[in-house]
Amino acid sequence: MAKPVVREAARRRRRPTRSGTVLSEEIIVGTALRVLREHGSTGLTARRLGAALGADPSTLYRYFAGMDDLTRAIGDELMGRALEGWTATGDWRADLRALGRAIHASYLAHPQAAVLTASRVTGRPREIAVDETILGILRGAGLADAVAVGVYHAFIDQSLAFAALDAGSLALTEEARTGDEEMWRSTYARLPAESHPNIAATAELLARRMPHSAYPMALEMLLDHAAARVARSGT
Amino acid sequence: MAKPVVREAARRRRRPTRSGTVLSEEIIVGTALRVLREHGSTGLTARRLGAALGADPSTLYRYFAGMDDLTRAIGDELMGRALEGWTATGDWRADLRALGRAIHASYLAHPQAAVLTASRVTGRPREIAVDETILGILRGAGLADAVAVGVYHAFIDQSLAFAALDAGSLALTEEARTGDEEMWRSTYARLPAESHPNIAATAELLARRMPHSAYPMALEMLLDHAAARVARSGT
DNA sequence: AAGGTAAGGTCAACCCTGTTGGCATAAGAG
DNA sequence: CTCTTATGCCAACAGGGTTGACCTTACCTT
């Protein structure tokens, strides 16, 4: 690595780019989110981001080790925003539900960015803060460590996995205006009842439900499971 | 599109490539799976696949509209394999559990391919066959259509979402031998107890559990939920 | 069996991508 | 005020998907 990246905290000199803007990790990540929204999940390129920042593409390598490193920073930003829009109440079940929805919503607020990042563990500070919070809620509810870790694992993986999946269709819909509901109606509703009796019988219900996320339902299932464990540990 | 793709069924002439092999969608998809396994989830390129097939990269465009189209065909292949390794017994709960595990296992058998495809709905024939099967199991169990569609939605999305997530770490581990468990131990176990008391208290449990999939647990939660609905509908 | 049609393999070229080494310049330390 | 060096810029590299033109040969028709 000929050009070692300087940590944001240790950054001293702030030299403006040719177009006048002064860069920072924060500004770069924010601009990357905008570029992703405008150009789709595959539209974030070093050249395009450089142009959006008014800087040479290679300048990015002064702030991130590569596009992959930048991608993880974007993911951490979404995690951070999820935690910002959440406050503890003391009711573990309500808190966990709210946190799950906050994570899901934070990623879905930037579907194109979520597609890139949601299926990756970043190991960055704000993701770790979320993990700490979840474990705190579960242990605070009275679950034994082993059980808390199990529920935590299912919770975070489920939240991220659904965020990635749901963001995928959302981003796709916005990129190519195919209309997902239309796809369901056009593809699935046309299947003959002889070969696909079950799809044919439920085509209308499918078309109405599939464009929406199954995450809320999965989240409630997880909360039910956790509640059962909490009740058992209480006796 | 100057070169319209000929549907596989309508393909008449089978002209061997320069190196002698005769192409087909099946051979291309199979070779793509091999290339993915050998070169990682980002290692499937038109040029590399062409070389592996002993054909010019542009030949691929006679069979698929583009790399994206090929990607969806790969995903459908994995779905097809999942359904092949599954047989109905008549016990809805056992059948659904087995099918979920078959889907999950089929994708994880090709982690690099799964990363590319699991977060996408292909709308291709074998994916539709899986959907039809799931709905058949649930309706056969006696669930009302609206409930069956809801459980189906959660089931298929959960299975695909976890497949994508789990494949991600699996593919990553195989690509860059970083060792995911090591990452957990090195990053999370080092956090000071003052700032991260809950992670610190459960670090060992986390390191042991996080490298494994949370899908089995999530699947059982879904089956419990479905069983409750079946019981209610029976009364 | 001969001939025509076009499917399908090949080639060269296009513009895109991430990334890097060398260079220029100005910010901030002393 | 000077010096160091962080930081922005430039040019270039290898490799990516994709396409239009070309050629060859498998197959259908006669």
Side-chain angles (χ1 to χ4, degrees), chain A residues 11 13 15 17-18 56 58-59 62-63:
Chain A
R11 207 166 278 278
R13 309 187 180 179
R15 178 177 169 185
T17 138
R18 178 159 276 256
D56 188 88
S58 63
T59 307
R62 301 283 185 202
Y63 292 83

Side-chain angles (χ1 to χ4, degrees), chain A residues 6 45 90 181 227:
Chain A
V6 177
T45 71
E181 191 159 355

